[in-house]
Amino acid sequence: ELDMLFTPTKQPNPADVNGDGQVNGADLGSLIAAWGPCKGCPEDLNGDGMVNGADLGLLFAAWTG
């Protein structure tokens, strides 16, 4: 007998850099503030060590408003 209730969990969106459940202007502001070399920071969405246009494109692709 299985006594546990398994509830699916929603995977966090990497573009939601502030973790509020939305990808919006707050995340955009964080991304712009981190622009440039930024190894390991959450705004580096593609993990290449730079926050740049590629990360901006990923953020807009995940935009929830």
Side-chain angles (χ1 to χ4, degrees):
E1 180 176 330
L2 185 60
D3 291 332
M4 294 181 182
L5 175 64
F6 290 98
T7 305
T9 58
K10 187 175 179 181
Q11 293 294 332
N13 185 334
D16 178 18
V17 296
N18 67 357
D20 69 355
Q22 296 184 2
V23 179
N24 56 22
D27 303 297
L28 176 59
S30 293
L31 188 139
I32 291 170
W35 200 267
C38 195
K39 186 175 181 178
C41 68
E43 295 84 2
D44 179 15
L45 301 178
N46 65 357
D48 68 354
M50 292 287 294
V51 176
N52 55 25
D55 303 296
L56 183 61
L58 292 170
L59 186 134
F60 282 134
W63 193 267
T64 59

